[in-house]
């Protein structure tokens, strides 16, 4: 049975307070607790990178567990194994002696085993008159028993992170495919707009995908690819609406020409009203900004506006719009210029524009004049926020922001 004492290592190996703490923790095991040693081993293997283990370290732990006679580690039974280095090396697939000692030390440092050395450093066990182990010297496996729940949770987190990473890579692949095919269709079918510029942005983005991307790489690239996808779809939707409106206008004109003269005065006011509504019906204007630009992407692109949010943070589109009003005043943008932007672009998109202007304030001579120019270009269909936000994302990744 485990005695609960703290022991120091034999020979030149030093004792540290961290080792003392781990040994004490290993003794604080709930009465009667038991675990399947192979279940704990699988959790350790799953979480090996988190624990700072190498594959050889896991192999050595596997070998150590084979010397424990039962499949269970129990609080009321001895958890000390005492194989010689020769026996242990054989079960660890012929690992070299120096390598074995190094990985045993790694397991100790990771808090998975504890050395329980005898007076002369030998590993052995003394048995009582009934043949039961009374005292054993070697490697104590009780930390695995004590940390079983912690190791299980650690393994679950690793599996969840790996699953999320795989899904993020799959999502990036799908967005990449969709953007590529949509751009190709737009170019091949002669859609209006600077599609070559959009394609250049796409090629630049795909060129930045590493051969073996990390989770952070995938998340950043996915944000930008989603933004580019939203920009492409918005342009195609806008063009579709323009073509639809043109068809309706031609139909209305034919209808008016074929109607009786006295009906013209009745139709014209209604027609003008409908055209006015259509002119503000661009999908980018009326769609809530968060449908085109996830708030997380806007915050990555324009982090400075967070300083003007309530409590120094922005967690919603309402927070962003409130902060944009403060920024407008701070930058000297007139209320009329901002109101015009809200009316033309929509309040959410106007807030995004103000956040981008704040990021580039040092490069813009007249923020108010610049915002009015954006509003006029938006009305003419010559400007959308996608490239502007993407430029800020790249700028925050180290690219140079040029003077507007």
């Amino acid at each position: 049975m485990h005695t609960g004492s703290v022991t120091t290592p034999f020979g030149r190996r030093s004792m540290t307070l961290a080792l003392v703490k781990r040994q004490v923790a290993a003794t604080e095991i709930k009465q009667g607790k038991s675990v399947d040693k192979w279940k704990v081993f699988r959790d350790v293997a799953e979480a090996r990178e988190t624990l700072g283990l190498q594959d050889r370290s896991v192999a050595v732990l596997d070998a150590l567990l084979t010397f424990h006679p039962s499949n269970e580690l129990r609080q009321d039974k001895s958890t000390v194994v005492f194989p010689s280095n020769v026996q242990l090396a054989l079960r660890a697939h012929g690992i070299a002696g120096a390598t074995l000692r190094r990985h045993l030390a790694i397991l100790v440092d990771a808090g998975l085993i504890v050395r329980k050395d005898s007076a002369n450093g030998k590993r052995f066990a003394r048995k009582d008159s009934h043949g039961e182990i009374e005292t054993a010297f070697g490697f104590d496996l009780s930390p695995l028993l004590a940390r079983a729940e912690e190791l299980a949770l650690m393994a679950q987190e690793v599996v969840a992170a790996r699953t999320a990473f795989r899904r993020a890579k799959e999502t990036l692949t799908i967005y990449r495919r969709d953007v590529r095919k949509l751009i190709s269709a737009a170019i091949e079918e002669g859609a209006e707009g600077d599609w070559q510029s959009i394609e250049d942005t796409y090629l630049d983005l795909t060129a930045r995908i590493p051969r073996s991307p990390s989770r952070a790489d995938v998340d950043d690239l996915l944000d930008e690819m989603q933004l580019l996808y939203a920009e492409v779809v918005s342009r195609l939707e806008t063009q579709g609406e323009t073509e639809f409106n043109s068809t309706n206008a031609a139909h209305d004109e034919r209808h008016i020409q074929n109607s009786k003269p006295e009906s013209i005065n009745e139709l014209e006011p209604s027609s003008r009203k409908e055209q006015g509504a259509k002119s503000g019906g661009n999908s980018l204007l009326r769609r809530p900004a968060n449908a085109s630009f996830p708030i997380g992407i806007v915050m990555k692109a324009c982090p400075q506006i967070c300083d003007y949010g309530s409590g120094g943070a922005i967690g919603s589109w309402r927070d962003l719009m409130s902060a944009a009003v403060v920024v407008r005043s701070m930058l000297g943008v007139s209320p009329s210029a901002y109101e015009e932007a809200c009316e033309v672009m929509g309040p959410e998109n106007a807030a995004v524009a103000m956040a981008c202007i704040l990021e580039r304030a040092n490069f813009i001579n007249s923020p108010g004049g610049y915002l009015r120019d954006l509003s006029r270009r938006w009305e003419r269909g010559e400007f959308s926020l996608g490239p502007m936000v993407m430029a800020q994302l790249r700028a925050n990744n180290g690219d140079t922001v040029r003077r507007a």
Side-chain angles (χ1 to χ4, degrees):
M1 181 184 295
H2 185 65
T3 63
S5 61
V6 174
T7 63
T8 58
F10 172 78
R12 296 181 179 180
R13 288 191 295 268
S14 61
M15 187 65 179
T16 65
L17 295 180
L19 289 176
V20 173
K21 183 177 179 181
R22 289 171 190 150
Q23 289 190 36
V24 172
T27 65
E28 297 173 350
I29 301 174
K30 184 178 178 181
Q31 191 74 21
K33 182 178 180 180
S34 65
V35 296
D36 184 327
K37 67 180 182 181
W38 297 119
K39 168 65 170 63
V40 180
F41 172 76
R42 288 193 294 272
D43 290 337
V44 170
E46 197 73 69
R48 60 186 178 277
E49 291 185 6
T50 306
L51 291 165
L53 303 181
Q54 301 173 20
D55 290 344
R56 285 289 186 90
S57 307
V58 176
V60 171
L61 179 62
D62 182 21
L64 282 171
L65 287 171
T66 64
F67 287 98
H68 189 271
S70 171
N71 281 336
E72 282 190 325
L73 298 175
R74 299 179 57 88
Q75 179 271 338
D76 56 356
K77 296 290 184 180
S78 173
T79 54
V80 178
V81 293
F82 39 90
S84 67
N85 280 357
V86 174
Q87 293 173 314
L88 192 53
L90 285 174
R91 292 201 188 180
H93 310 293
I95 190 172
T99 305
L100 174 66
R101 289 190 292 273
R102 183 170 72 254
H103 288 288
L104 285 170
I106 290 174
L107 290 171
V108 172
D109 290 340
L112 298 177
I113 61 174
V114 171
R115 294 182 186 275
K116 189 176 180 183
D117 290 344
S118 64
N120 61 5
K122 300 293 184 180
R123 300 172 200 148
F124 62 92
R126 292 196 183 99
K127 297 183 180 180
D128 59 20
S129 58
H130 301 287
E132 295 290 331
I133 294 178
E134 186 176 52
T135 305
F137 297 98
F139 298 104
D140 190 352
L141 304 175
S142 60
L144 295 174
L145 176 61
R147 300 178 63 187
E149 295 81 7
E150 176 196 351
L151 294 170
L153 180 59
M154 203 178 292
Q156 290 171 12
E157 291 174 348
V158 169
V159 171
R162 185 167 60 242
T163 301
F165 186 27
R166 185 183 68 249
R167 289 176 178 171
K169 289 195 291 186
E170 290 173 352
T171 303
L172 177 60
T173 299
I174 292 171
Y175 272 105
R176 181 180 176 181
R177 178 195 66 200
D178 290 347
V179 171
R180 175 66 274 173
K181 291 191 175 183
L182 289 172
I183 292 174
S184 297
I187 294 174
E188 290 171 4
E189 297 182 24
E192 294 183 4
D194 186 4
W195 290 102
Q196 188 59 53
S197 175
I198 292 290
E199 183 171 42
D200 290 343
T201 300
Y202 168 80
L203 294 174
D204 175 67
L205 190 55
T206 55
R208 287 164 43 204
I209 300 177
R211 182 180 296 273
S212 299
S214 66
R215 176 64 189 276
D217 292 331
V218 171
D219 287 344
D220 289 341
L221 290 165
L222 180 56
D223 284 344
E224 294 190 48
M225 193 64 77
Q226 286 175 325
L227 188 58
L228 183 59
Y229 172 82
E231 172 66 15
V232 169
V233 171
S234 294
R235 290 194 180 201
L236 293 175
E237 286 179 351
T238 301
Q239 176 157 325
E241 287 189 7
T242 301
E243 292 174 356
F244 178 76
N245 291 340
S246 299
T247 302
N248 280 353
H251 174 78
D252 290 344
E253 183 178 355
R254 288 193 299 272
H255 179 74
I256 293 172
Q257 290 174 348
N258 294 334
S259 300
K260 295 180 181 180
E262 58 267 27
S263 66
I264 295 178
N265 292 334
E266 296 176 2
L267 291 171
E268 281 184 343
S270 175
S271 178
R272 279 195 295 267
K273 181 178 180 180
E274 289 174 2
Q275 290 172 0
K278 295 290 184 184
S279 67
N282 184 307
S283 62
L284 276 177
L285 303 187
R286 295 309 173 199
R287 181 190 294 130
N290 57 356
S292 295
F293 309 104
I295 189 71
I297 292 181
V298 176
M299 291 301 96
K300 279 186 178 181
C302 309
Q304 291 187 45
I305 200 167
C306 289
D307 295 337
Y308 301 90
S310 177
I314 292 176
S316 67
W317 286 100
R318 184 178 295 277
D319 292 343
L320 178 61
M321 289 187 283
S322 298
V325 173
V326 178
V327 171
R328 175 208 59 81
S329 176
M330 187 269 295
L331 292 179
V333 176
S334 67
S336 61
Y338 189 64
E339 288 172 8
E340 178 186 357
C342 289
E343 182 178 349
V344 172
M345 302 181 185
E348 297 93 346
N349 287 326
V352 174
M354 282 306 309
C356 290
I357 291 173
L358 175 63
E359 292 291 321
R360 307 183 67 185
N362 293 335
F363 304 90
I364 298 174
N365 293 325
S366 174
Y370 185 55
L371 183 62
R372 285 189 186 276
D373 180 62
L374 294 183
S375 299
R376 287 192 292 268
R377 290 165 56 195
W378 186 291
E379 281 190 303
R380 296 194 300 267
E382 299 173 353
F383 166 72
S384 61
L385 285 169
M388 192 179 203
V389 175
M390 289 187 68
Q392 284 306 132
L393 276 172
R394 289 194 294 270
N396 287 337
N397 286 332
D399 290 352
T400 303
V401 178
R402 297 181 178 178
R403 188 179 183 86

